[in-house]
Amino acid sequence: MRFGNPAVRRMVRQSDGGALYTEGQEATYKGVYLKAALYAALTIITAVGCELGLFKAISDGYIAQALTVIGIAAGVSLIPLLIIAFVIAFVPSTAKVLGCIYAILQGALLGLLSLCCDLVFPGIAFAAFLGTAIVFLVAIVVNSVFKTRISSRFVRGLMVAMVSLLFVQLIMWIMSLFNVFDYTAFIWLQLGISALCVIWATVMLFWDLQNIDYIVQSGADKKYEWNVAFSLVTTLIYMYVEILELLVRIMALFSRNKN
């Protein structure tokens, strides 16, 4: 679950007090979205490249080798991703360089994840990508036209609900390991949690758009564009993963009903 970028939260608090004001170039919407487009392009290109490359290897019969690459890449990428995210969160000035590295590593992982899902349900990764793009475009329009604002109280309430449901799901999974009940029998609960995760990602998206407004309208220095752009793209990545998970669960449910 994603709780937002602490570096951006600090920046918003500083912008409210005028601490980010600069005599030089100020942050602009164009600058933020261009930097977000760079991060997104690096992520998408790497993801597509990894998925297509591994898919060709599997199609050519190199299944064992492909699975080995998937396992090693997933294990090797996770630790650097966590370290980079931690560094960017507490040292915002590193976002310009480390953000690009993060996007490439994250793209590799998304490519592996998308391949695994597409092998079971062909085309589902592209459907999740379209869903993410549609939600993003709608969110931008709603935020611009209706000036939607997400209160911190609402975010905290939703966070408590999400954590509670995930905790319940974890307990049920642990109990299923001891054959107390069949975990797969609670598919509707899992679908509900996945749907709430998508809602949570949407709330975080509106929160990011709201933070972009704060940074730009407060006259913050242009260098902070990298941080809000990074936060926006990581939210979209999280949303893609949650939409993909929801679609996989739905397809699994339909497949089970057919059988």
Side-chain angles (χ1 to χ4, degrees):
M1 180 188 298
R2 187 174 186 276
F3 295 105
N5 192 324
V8 174
R9 292 199 299 269
R10 289 197 299 273
M11 288 167 55
V12 170
R13 288 196 297 269
Q14 290 174 334
S15 68
D16 289 336
L20 301 184
Y21 179 75
T22 176
E23 297 290 342
Q25 286 186 304
E26 297 180 353
T28 62
Y29 288 106
K30 180 180 179 181
V32 172
Y33 287 116
L34 282 177
K35 290 173 176 60
L38 171 62
Y39 288 140
L42 289 173
T43 303
I44 294 172
I45 292 173
T46 306
V48 172
C50 287
E51 181 172 5
L52 292 179
L54 287 171
F55 183 78
K56 185 178 186 308
I58 292 175
S59 300
D60 292 342
Y62 299 103
I63 300 178
Q65 293 87 337
L67 292 177
T68 301
V69 170
I70 290 175
I72 294 176
V76 170
S77 299
L78 282 176
I79 295 179
L81 280 171
L82 292 174
I83 294 175
I84 291 173
F86 182 84
V87 172
I88 292 177
F90 292 96
V91 187
S93 59
T94 61
K96 183 176 181 179
V97 176
L98 291 183
C100 293
I101 299 174
Y102 182 95
I104 294 173
L105 291 175
Q106 186 70 75
L109 278 181
L110 290 181
L112 301 179
L113 175 63
S114 300
L115 173 65
C116 294
C117 294
D118 276 333
L119 289 175
V120 181
F121 303 112
I124 198 169
F126 184 67
F129 173 78
L130 284 181
T132 304
I134 291 172
V135 173
F136 177 53
L137 293 176
V138 171
I140 289 180
V141 173
V142 171
N143 184 72
S144 300
V145 175
F146 300 100
K147 303 299 179 183
T148 303
R149 292 295 177 263
I150 305 296
S151 67
S152 58
R153 180 178 298 179
F154 174 76
V155 172
R156 287 195 296 269
L158 186 58
M159 185 186 301
V160 170
M162 288 294 302
V163 172
S164 299
L165 285 173
L166 289 173
F167 186 67
V168 169
Q169 186 181 34
L170 176 62
I171 292 177
M172 293 175 62
W173 176 74
I174 293 175
M175 293 177 66
S176 68
L177 295 179
F178 296 95
N179 297 320
V180 177
F181 52 74
D182 183 9
Y183 180 68
T184 59
F186 294 86
I187 184 66
W188 290 106
L189 174 62
Q190 298 171 42
L191 279 173
I193 293 176
S194 293
L196 282 175
C197 285
V198 173
I199 295 174
W200 172 258
T202 305
V203 171
M204 288 294 97
L205 178 57
F206 275 109
W207 190 273
D208 281 325
L209 294 176
Q210 182 174 318
N211 288 339
I212 292 173
D213 290 337
Y214 279 137
I215 295 300
V216 173
Q217 294 172 11
S218 66
D221 192 283
K222 195 171 184 64
K223 64 183 180 181
Y224 295 111
E225 292 175 349
W226 290 102
N227 298 95
V228 288
F230 177 76
S231 182
L232 175 62
V233 171
T234 53
T235 296
L236 290 174
I237 291 173
Y238 171 68
M239 176 175 289
Y240 168 78
V241 172
E242 293 301 338
I243 291 178
L244 181 60
E245 180 181 358
L246 178 61
L247 292 178
V248 168
R249 291 187 187 279
I250 292 174
M251 292 301 296
L253 178 62
F254 285 151
S255 298
R256 190 175 68 171
N257 290 338
K258 287 182 181 179
N259 297 330

